[in-house]
Amino acid sequence: MAGAPAPLPRTSQEGAGSHPLGWDPAPIPNRPPSEEHPVLEAFFSALLVLVCVGVLAFAGLTVKKLYQGQR
């Protein structure tokens, strides 16, 4: 094929886990444990629960209205 690019050559320095283009991703920084911000974690957990309850309530109301319309 004339339009297909040639495959990139592999170098002898590449190991089994290195990236095919020869670059390595940035190292993952050491993160502090999640106990450092328990209030923030509790806030987002509560927000997640509220969203789940809201979605379930909306789904229940939708099903109820759909069955009411069949009568």
Side-chain angles (χ1 to χ4, degrees):
M1 257 184 224
L8 294 172
R10 287 193 148 329
T11 63
S12 61
Q13 296 173 349
E14 285 185 352
S18 48
H19 194 275
L21 295 179
W23 59 272
D24 290 326
I28 299 173
N30 292 333
R31 295 189 178 201
S34 63
E35 289 81 29
E36 192 170 314
H37 300 288
V39 175
L40 194 61
E41 184 178 353
F43 170 75
F44 283 111
S45 296
L47 191 61
L48 181 65
V49 168
L50 285 174
V51 168
C52 290
V53 168
V55 168
L56 287 174
F58 185 76
L61 181 66
T62 303
V63 170
K64 180 182 172 187
K65 292 289 184 178
L66 281 171
Y67 280 115
Q68 276 182 352
Q70 290 182 354
R71 292 183 193 173

